[in-house]
Amino acid sequence: MLRTHTCGELRMEHVGTPVSLCGWVQRVRDKGGLIWIDLRDRYGITQLLLEEGKTAPAAIELARSAGREFVVKAVGEVIERKSKNPNLPTGEVEIRIDGLEVLNPAKLPPFLIEDDTDGGDDLRMRFRYLDLRRNTVRKNLELRHKMAQQTRLYMDGQSFIEVETPVLIKSTPEGARDFVVPSRMNPGEFYALPQSPQTFKQLLMVSGFDRYYQIVKCFRDEDLRADRQPEFTQIDCEMSFVTQEDILQMFEGLIRHLFKQVIGVELAEVPRMSYADAMKLYGSDKPDTRFGMPFVELKGTFDTVDLTSGRNFGLFDAAGIVVGINAKGCADYTRKQIDELTEWIKRPQVGAKGLIYVRYNTDGTIKSSVDKFYSEEDLKHWVVRFQAEPGDLLLILAGDTAKTRKQLNELRLEMGSRLGLRDPGRFSSLWVLDFPLLEWSEEENRWFAMHHPFTSPKPEDIPLLETDPGSVRANAYDLVINGTEVGGGSIRIFQKELQSKMFDILGFSPEEARAQFGFLLDAFEYGAPPHGGIAFGFDRLCSIFGGADSIRDYIAFPKNNSGRDVMIDSPAGISPAQLNELQIAVVKK
C-alpha cells in the first residue's frame, strides 16, 4: 500500500508515529516560512506542515507548485497542532512532512470541491466524477450503502432468499412505457428492460421459494421529475401463504429496522387509513401527515349538510364540491398575502380559478371574501364545521370534485411548507389500504388496473367484478412517508380462472392474454400458493432518510430531467454498421 493511514483516522494517540498519506490537495496556504496543505480522501482531511529549514527543499518546491486536486503522497510524522481545529476529527494533529511526491497533477477543476460548491447542477453532472469527491455527495452514497446492508441483514434474518431475475424480458402493454432492446440473433424482435420483476417473483412463489427479495434495477421510459429516473432501484419482495396483515407486519418491521439502524430514529407504529378516507381528508392517496389541516366540506359527497345553498352565489351553486382547510393562526394574513396565495393556486400547475377566504378574527368577528352573499350568521355555521377558533383562516375552493380535491391538496401542502410544518427531519408514516382495483379511461373507453393486472380483489368484492367493476376494492397497500409513496404492493391473484377474468375486464382477448402471459397462466395450473408482496423505492427511501427532495442526490451517476447522462453524453446514436446488423432503419424527422 502507498499509504499507512487514511486522511480521516489520525488522532492524538498517533503523535510520534511515522505515516504515509495519499490523497487530493484541498488547498495550500503559503505563509512564506510555513506551508500548510489540507490533504483529502474519502475518509476526511489531514493538515500537512512544511517548514523552511526543516523540510527538504524539494518537498517545499513541490508544495508551492501543487494545485487544487493534485494527487500527492506525503511521508512524515504525526505531531500535535499548535492551533487546533475543533471542526475536524483530525483537528488536534498534523503531519510534519519529510517527503512529498506528486502522483498526478490536475487541471484546475471547474468548480470548488467543497460542501458549499460554486458549481451549478448541470456543471456538476457533467463532471460528476469531481462532484463525487465532495463530502455531501459521498455521505449520501454512504447512507445508500448502509441502507442496502441493513436491508439484507433484516431480510436474511427473516429467512428471505435473494434471487436475481432477468434484465432482458418481454414487453407488456400495461404500465409505463418499456425501454426496448433489439435482438441481433432474432431480427425484428425485441427484449424489454423490466419495469419490475413482478411476474418472475410470482413464478418463484410457484417454484416454492416462499420468501424472496432482491435489490434490483428497474426501468421505465416515462416523463421525469425530482423523484423519478429512467433507471431506478427497488427493494422487491414476495411471500407465500400470507394475508395482507402478514405483509404489513413484516415490512413495517423492515422500515422500522432501517430507520433505527441507519439514522437512529425510533419510528412509531405505522397507522392505517383507507384510500377513501385519504381522498376525503387530504385529496391524495399519499397524504403528508406530519401536520393536520384535513379537508372540510361545506358542500360535497360525504353526506354533509350543504351550508352554501340558497344564497345565489353562482360559483358554489354550480360546483360539485365546496371544500376547504383551516390554516390555524393565520387570520392576520394581509390582503397582499391572500392575493399572493390566490395567484399561486391559479398557476397552470395547480389550475384553480380562485380562492375564497374566511377570517375568524381574534375579537370574534368573522369576515370573508363572500360577505356580499353570506351573512355573518351563515359564516358562523362554516366556522363551526371547520372547528375553527379565533385567529384561524379558512381557505376554500369550489368546482369539479376530483379536480378541486387535487387543487386543495396542493394548497394544503403549500400552506404546510409556508408555516414550517413539513420538517424533513421529522417522519410521519402511513399505510394506505383498500384502493380501487380498477380505474376507467374515458379516452380509451376501458378499464385499467390501478396497480397492475395481477392484484387480487378483496375476496368479498369478487362477485362485483361481473356487476360493478368500478366498486371493487384491491387487496393492495401503499406505504407513505412524509407525503411520498415509498412502497406499494398487493396480495396477488393465484388462480388461473380469476386471472383470466381480470385480463378479460382489462380488454385482453383470450388470444392476447395467452400471447402476453400464457407462461403465468400455465404456472397457476401447477399448484400456485396464495402469495403477495411489496416493492420499495430504494432511491426514494434514501432521499427521505437523508432529508433531500431529489433522488438524484443518492444515485452515483444519475440522469438529468431529460433522461440524459451529460457526463458520457448518453443516449447517443450508433453506427450505420450496427444499425444494419440489427436490421433497424432510422427515420429522420
Side-chain angles (χ1 to χ4, degrees):
M1 296 289 289
L2 294 179
R3 60 186 179 184
T4 59
H5 297 79
T6 70
C7 294
E9 68 177 292
L10 297 175
R11 302 291 189 270
M12 284 294 293
E13 59 265 27
H14 295 99
V15 169
T17 304
V19 297
S20 172
L21 301 182
C22 295
W24 288 262
V25 173
Q26 180 83 14
R27 63 176 60 86
V28 179
R29 300 186 299 281
D30 188 348
K31 301 300 183 182
L34 295 173
I35 302 174
W36 289 277
I37 297 176
D38 289 342
L39 191 65
R40 183 196 72 244
D41 62 13
R42 62 171 270 212
Y43 305 96
I45 292 176
T46 295
Q47 180 171 281
L48 313 181
L49 171 65
L50 299 93
E51 189 174 357
E52 285 191 350
K54 295 183 179 179
T55 305
I60 293 283
E61 185 179 347
L62 276 177
R64 287 191 168 131
S65 66
R68 281 169 33 206
E69 302 307 309
F70 272 44
V71 185
V72 302
K73 174 183 176 182
V75 177
E77 180 183 342
V78 182
I79 63 173
E80 183 176 358
R81 279 176 69 160
K82 292 181 180 178
S83 179
K84 296 179 172 57
N85 184 348
N87 298 317
L88 278 180
T90 60
E92 291 187 309
V93 298
E94 59 188 355
I95 310 301
R96 181 190 290 124
I97 294 303
D98 296 324
L100 192 67
E101 179 184 353
V102 175
L103 300 176
N104 209 350
K107 291 171 61 177
L108 185 68
F111 53 86
L112 292 174
I113 313 297
E114 295 181 359
D115 290 358
D116 296 320
T117 183
D118 57 353
D121 287 348
D122 290 342
L123 185 63
R124 289 187 293 107
M125 288 304 100
R126 183 182 167 197
F127 295 93
R128 182 62 167 173
Y129 47 85
L130 298 179
D131 195 40
L132 287 168
R133 294 180 186 175
R134 297 194 304 124
N135 284 333
T136 50
V137 183
R138 173 181 53 77
K139 288 177 180 176
N140 289 346
L141 294 186
E142 287 175 349
L143 183 146
R144 183 185 180 99
H145 165 70
K146 192 171 182 180
M147 288 274 286
Q149 276 189 319
Q150 290 298 326
T151 296
R152 288 189 166 96
L153 182 65
Y154 178 87
M155 300 301 279
D156 185 63
Q158 300 295 329
S159 299
F160 282 79
I161 181 171
E162 187 168 12
V163 180
E164 290 181 294
T165 52
V167 174
L168 296 175
I169 65 168
K170 186 177 185 177
S171 183
T172 57
E174 293 289 313
R177 293 184 187 90
D178 288 325
F179 282 101
V180 295
V181 180
S183 171
R184 180 183 62 83
M185 301 292 291
N186 302 277
E189 297 184 320
F190 297 82
Y191 300 106
L193 302 181
Q195 296 183 32
S196 85
Q198 181 62 45
T199 54
F200 289 101
K201 65 180 180 179
Q202 290 191 248
L203 291 172
L204 284 169
M205 297 303 103
V206 178
S207 304
F209 290 88
D210 63 331
R211 293 192 173 195
Y212 142 93
Y213 85 102
Q214 185 180 186
I215 299 178
V216 59
K217 269 291 180 73
C218 301
F219 308 84
R220 290 180 188 171
D221 187 6
E222 59 185 358
D223 295 336
L224 306 177
R225 55 186 189 227
D227 62 346
R228 284 183 181 171
Q229 285 276 291
E231 53 180 309
F232 57 96
T233 305
Q234 287 186 177
I235 307 172
D236 197 61
C237 314
E238 200 80 4
M239 301 173 68
S240 293
F241 306 113
V242 290
T243 64
Q244 175 178 286
E245 185 62 30
D246 298 318
I247 299 285
L248 300 187
Q249 291 289 340
M250 176 64 71
F251 294 104
E252 182 174 324
L254 170 62
I255 292 300
R256 295 174 73 178
H257 172 84
L258 292 176
F259 267 102
K260 183 175 181 180
Q261 298 300 324
V262 177
I263 58 174
V265 171
E266 292 280 357
L267 191 68
E269 182 177 343
V270 180
R272 302 176 185 186
M273 181 180 294
S274 70
Y275 170 87
D277 283 346
M279 299 305 294
K280 173 184 176 180
L281 295 173
Y282 301 105
S284 170
D285 59 2
K286 47 181 184 294
D288 187 342
T289 52
R290 282 173 291 183
F291 65 104
M293 235 180 279
F295 291 8
V296 177
E297 291 185 1
L298 295 175
K299 170 187 177 182
T301 58
F302 291 99
D303 298 323
T304 54
V305 175
D306 184 356
L307 296 181
T308 67
S309 62
R311 299 296 184 269
N312 297 317
F313 184 42
L315 175 64
F316 284 1
D317 291 342
I321 190 172
V322 180
V323 62
I325 54 175
N326 180 1
K328 303 293 293 183
C330 293
D332 60 353
Y333 262 38
T334 65
R335 183 57 186 267
K336 181 179 179 181
Q337 285 176 295
I338 292 177
D339 287 346
E340 195 277 326
L341 269 181
T342 303
E343 291 305 311
W344 188 88
I345 65 166
K346 285 183 176 180
R347 297 176 311 141
Q349 300 95 316
V350 181
K353 294 181 178 179
L355 175 66
I356 306 298
Y357 69 86
V358 178
R359 298 182 195 272
Y360 190 5
N361 296 313
T362 52
D363 63 5
T365 59
I366 305 175
K367 297 294 181 182
S368 79
S369 55
V370 288
D371 284 347
K372 179 179 177 181
F373 299 95
Y374 294 94
S375 67
E376 187 163 353
E377 192 62 33
D378 293 328
L379 297 177
K380 284 181 180 177
H381 293 295
W382 294 14
V383 163
V384 170
R385 181 162 291 178
F386 275 82
Q387 298 182 355
E389 299 172 328
D392 293 348
L393 176 68
L394 311 185
L395 301 172
I396 299 167
L397 300 179
D400 172 80
T401 300
K403 289 181 179 179
T404 303
R405 288 188 177 283
K406 185 176 180 181
Q407 292 159 359
L408 188 60
N409 169 56
E410 296 294 335
L411 178 59
R412 173 182 176 269
L413 294 175
E414 178 66 14
M415 288 303 297
S417 296
R418 294 187 182 202
L419 296 174
L421 303 175
R422 304 182 71 192
D423 178 6
R426 180 170 170 261
F427 303 99
S428 181
S429 56
L430 179 72
W431 285 111
V432 179
L433 313 174
D434 298 344
F435 287 82
L437 180 70
L438 304 163
E439 51 188 346
W440 180 258
S441 169
E442 295 289 349
E443 185 177 330
E444 298 197 29
N445 194 37
R446 72 178 184 93
W447 293 107
F448 279 83
M450 193 159 183
H451 280 73
H452 54 61
F454 316 108
T455 297
S456 175
K458 288 278 188 179
E460 60 270 29
D461 289 357
I462 290 176
L464 296 174
L465 288 171
E466 296 285 354
T467 58
D468 188 9
S471 66
V472 177
R473 295 167 301 160
N475 212 341
Y477 31 83
D478 281 358
L479 182 65
V480 178
I481 300 176
N482 292 359
T484 297
E485 177 206 330
V486 298
S490 65
I491 300 299
R492 322 299 188 189
I493 297 170
F494 67 100
Q495 305 103 330
K496 180 180 179 180
E497 295 76 17
L498 183 55
Q499 188 64 75
S500 297
K501 178 64 180 177
M502 186 68 169
F503 287 144
D504 179 54
I505 291 172
L506 295 174
F508 288 77
S509 69
E511 293 75 22
E512 289 170 333
R514 166 58 55 181
Q516 291 289 337
F517 301 108
F519 64 93
L520 186 65
L521 295 172
D522 288 344
F524 284 171
E525 294 188 290
Y526 288 92
H531 59 280
I534 193 168
F536 294 97
F538 187 66
D539 312 294
R540 287 186 184 179
L541 277 174
C542 290
S543 66
I544 287 173
F545 277 45
D549 293 327
S550 173
I551 65 174
R552 287 197 298 268
D553 297 335
Y554 293 84
I555 298 173
F557 298 101
K559 308 292 190 291
N560 67 13
N561 283 343
S562 300
R564 296 197 65 84
D565 185 326
V566 295
M567 182 183 68
I568 64 172
D569 192 24
S570 172
I574 61 175
S575 70
Q578 286 176 289
L579 290 172
N580 288 335
E581 192 173 40
L582 294 168
Q583 299 188 30
I584 294 176
V586 176
V587 179
K588 295 184 178 180
K589 294 182 180 179

